[in-house]
């Protein structure tokens, strides 16, 4: 008997993971999901202006490849894993196409993991369609380009998959390599977005509850849960020690924790005003999931998995409700669990196909990401802007006062401040959280006499720092040339004005 065969005979659970879960459940489906994901994302390849956040993430990643210090030389409150992922993308290929292809791949991985969870509850057809629905819904809730949620939601789903695929091991209160890998993935998700902590904590509690309910010895459950807790916390502890060792723990802690406690958030009135839109976009996927859940809950063999997925959905919803702000892409946290639940309906022949078709027709015809003529127009408009700024910026430096932060990369310009994202400089809700005085920082930037300024009209912020905006506009009055461009993001036309030959007088003449 070979040593390899002896290992798998001694640890039969590894044989199950090796021969059942991985090869049998995923590879053909992954190929289909990847092809469909490519089809959905194809129109956006190279269109860097479609979304605001991924531009900034890509800029930070680019700066990290130039040895900039995260949270010191360039600042934001997202976790370091997200930015080092974008640094990896920039190192591989310094083009928006690279992170867009990576997002395409992560969407396919997420769909495959959802299918791997759903196949524990529904038949293969229902599980496969659940993965398709994940692609559709992720496309609607931030997955069209490079939002952070595209990258960390599959990591959380992997943790759930590790539990449901190793349910016998969990019931015995034991730990094996797939579980360790799953909880490490949850820890990586936490270091992409801090709100993932609610789901990660739930996964740990669910592990303990399943083992306790199955009669596993309490000391074994405690030991195993401590191992998983340490594994899940490993990414956080590693980065915390790394920043402490480098002498930058305070900026690290302020970015991930302090700034989130100090910033202002939406008022109750604004949150309530967004509620109808949230309920509208979630009505159909929630209804499909509810119908699927009503069928799955009658499955005695999958009852533990149904409860786990239901709790996962509850933890994700709790995190959304607890957070004082709400944006549409936040709802992506609900998508994986909803799709798994919906598999109970998707396995019902024509009814399931009709449900999926209804979901597709509620999303695809209204997606600006699939408007090919608009995306062609957007790429042409952005190329014209980039060429103009390259020609005009000269030796005076560039300041982007708006959402086009990736313009620094495309024009080979160094950002004039560690605060690059437009809301950090001009949105009053960020004034108490960025670690610097907004007005003083804008004054410091303008004191460098940037020769070219790209100003969005109007600037985005609610409310805006009027004194900082007035200071900017006073400086722009001294620019000799200006030219207006219309760019096209996911919401439509956005106006950008390029001011050049600044600081040389106050002619203010507009260029036709």
């Amino acid at each position: 008997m070979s040593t390899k065969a002896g290992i798998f005979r001694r640890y039969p659970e590894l044989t199950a993971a090796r021969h059942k879960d991985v090869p049998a459940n995923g590879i053909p489906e992954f190929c289909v999901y990847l092809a469909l994901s490519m089809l959905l994302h194809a129109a956006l390849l190279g269109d860097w202006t479609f979304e605001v956040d991924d531009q900034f993430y890509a800029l930070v990643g680019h700066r990290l490849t130039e040895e900039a210090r995260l949270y010191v030389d360039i600042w934001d409150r997202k976790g370091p894993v997200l930015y080092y992922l974008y640094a990896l993308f920039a190192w591989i290929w310094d083009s928006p196409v690279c992170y867009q292809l990576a997002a395409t791949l992560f969407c396919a991985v997420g769909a495959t993991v959802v299918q791997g969870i759903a196949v524990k509850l529904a038949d293969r057809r229902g599980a496969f369609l659940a993965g398709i629905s994940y692609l559709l819904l992720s496309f609607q809730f931030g997955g069209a380009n490079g939002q952070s949620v595209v990258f960390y939601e599959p990591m959380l789903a992997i943790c759930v998959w590790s539990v449901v695929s190793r349910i016998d091991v969990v019931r015995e209160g034991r730990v094996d390599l797939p579980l360790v890998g799953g909880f490490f993935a949850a820890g990586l998700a936490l270091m992409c977005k801090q709100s993932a902590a609610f789901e990660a904590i739930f996964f740990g509690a669910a592990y303990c509850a399943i083992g306790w309910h199955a009669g596993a010895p309490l000391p074994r459950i405690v030991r195993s849960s401590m191992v998983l807790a340490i594994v899940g916390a490993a990414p956080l502890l590693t980065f915390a020690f790394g920043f402490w060792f480098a002498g930058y723990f305070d900026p690290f802690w302020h970015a991930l924790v302090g700034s989130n406690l100090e910033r202002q958030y939406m008022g109750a009135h604004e949150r309530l005003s967004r509620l109808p839109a949230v309920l509208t976009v979630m009505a159909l996927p929630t209804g499909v999931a509810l119908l699927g859940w009503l069928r799955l809950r009658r499955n005695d063999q999958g009852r533990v998995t149904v409860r786990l997925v239901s709790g996962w959905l509850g933890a994700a919803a709790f995190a959304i409700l607890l957070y004082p702000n709400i944006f549409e892409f936040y709802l992506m946290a609900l998508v994986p669990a909803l799709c798994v639940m919906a598999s109970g309906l998707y396995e019902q022949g024509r009814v399931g196909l009709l449900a999926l078709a209804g979901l597709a027709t509620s999303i695809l015809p209204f997606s600006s990401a699939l408007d090919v003529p608009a995306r062609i127009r957007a790429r042409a408009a952005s190329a014209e802007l980039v060429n103009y700024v390259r020609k005009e910026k000269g030796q005076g430096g560039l300041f982007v006062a708006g959402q086009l932060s990736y313009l620094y990369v495309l024009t080979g310009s160094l950002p004039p401040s560690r605060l690059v994202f437009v809301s950090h400089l001009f949105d009053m809700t960020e004034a108490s959280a960025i670690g610097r005085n907004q007005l003083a920082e804008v004054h410091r930037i303008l004191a460098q006499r940037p020769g070219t300024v790209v100003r969005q009209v109007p600037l985005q912020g609610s409310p805006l720092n009027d004194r900082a905006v007035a200071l900017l506009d006073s400086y722009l009055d001294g620019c000799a040339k200006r030219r207006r461009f219309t760019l096209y993001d996911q919401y439509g036309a956005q106006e950008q004005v390029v001011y050049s030959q600044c600081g040389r007088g106050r002619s203010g003449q507009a260029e036709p």
Side-chain angles (χ1 to χ4, degrees), residues 420-493:
V420 181
F421 201 56
V422 60
S423 62
H424 295 160
L425 285 172
F426 296 102
D427 192 332
M428 285 297 293
T429 63
E430 295 281 1
S432 60
I434 58 176
R436 294 187 180 181
N437 180 280
Q438 280 184 329
L439 183 62
E441 187 66 10
V442 173
H443 185 274
R444 189 190 69 80
I445 292 170
L446 298 179
Q448 300 175 41
R449 314 303 293 174
T452 303
V453 180
V454 181
R455 188 200 193 282
Q456 185 165 327
V457 182
L459 280 171
Q460 301 297 306
S462 180
L464 284 170
N465 186 328
D466 292 331
R467 294 178 65 191
V469 175
L471 184 63
L472 170 65
D473 288 339
S474 176
Y475 179 81
L476 296 178
D477 285 342
C479 300
K481 294 175 66 177
R482 69 190 67 171
R483 181 172 171 181
R484 184 177 294 266
F485 292 83
T486 301
L487 272 64
Y488 304 91
D489 64 12
Q490 59 182 320
Y491 303 110

Side-chain angles (χ1 to χ4, degrees), residues 48-49 378-393 398 404 406-412 454 485 487 498:
W48 60 275
T49 59
R379 277 191 288 270
S382 62
E384 183 182 7
L385 171 70
V386 171
N387 290 333
Y388 181 81
V389 173
R390 284 173 177 166
K391 181 183 69 174
E392 290 293 324
K393 77 182 184 78
L398 174 67
L404 301 180
Y406 196 67
L407 194 59
Y408 288 113
V409 176
L410 295 175
T411 59
V454 181
F485 292 83
L487 272 64
V498 179

Side-chain angles (χ1 to χ4, degrees), residues 109-274:
V109 169
T112 306
V113 178
V114 165
Q115 183 269 342
I117 300 170
V119 82
K120 304 297 181 181
L121 299 170
D123 63 20
R124 193 149 185 151
R125 168 200 175 102
F128 174 71
L129 295 183
I132 297 292
S133 67
Y134 175 88
L135 287 177
L136 294 172
L137 288 170
S138 65
F139 195 69
Q140 181 176 25
F141 297 123
N145 225 33
Q147 264 291 356
S148 61
V149 69
V150 174
F151 300 105
Y152 72 78
E153 274 304 321
M155 300 176 189
L156 293 170
I158 286 171
C159 187
V160 176
W161 174 85
S162 74
V163 174
V164 302
S165 65
R166 317 299 298 136
I167 198 69
D168 292 337
V169 177
V170 176
R171 283 177 172 143
E172 295 173 6
R174 296 188 292 115
V175 173
D176 64 0
L177 289 179
L179 283 167
V180 168
F183 277 80
F184 183 74
L188 291 176
L190 173 61
M191 284 292 91
C192 282
K193 183 71 178 292
Q194 296 90 310
S195 61
F198 293 97
E199 290 158 271
I201 291 171
F202 168 75
F203 299 153
Y207 172 88
C208 295
I210 293 170
W212 174 259
H213 188 267
L218 182 59
R220 185 191 296 168
I221 295 174
V222 172
R223 287 194 302 269
S224 298
S225 62
M226 289 180 64
V227 169
L228 294 178
I230 292 171
V231 168
L236 170 61
L237 296 175
T238 300
F239 280 110
F241 176 78
F243 278 91
W244 174 81
F245 185 78
Y248 307 124
F249 181 79
D250 286 345
F252 169 79
W253 182 259
H254 172 259
L256 268 64
V257 180
S259 67
N260 285 287
L261 300 176
E262 295 164 2
R263 66 173 297 192
Q264 299 178 35
Y265 293 96
M266 291 178 182
H269 175 74
E270 186 174 359
R271 295 191 78 202
L272 287 174
S273 68
R274 291 172 179 250

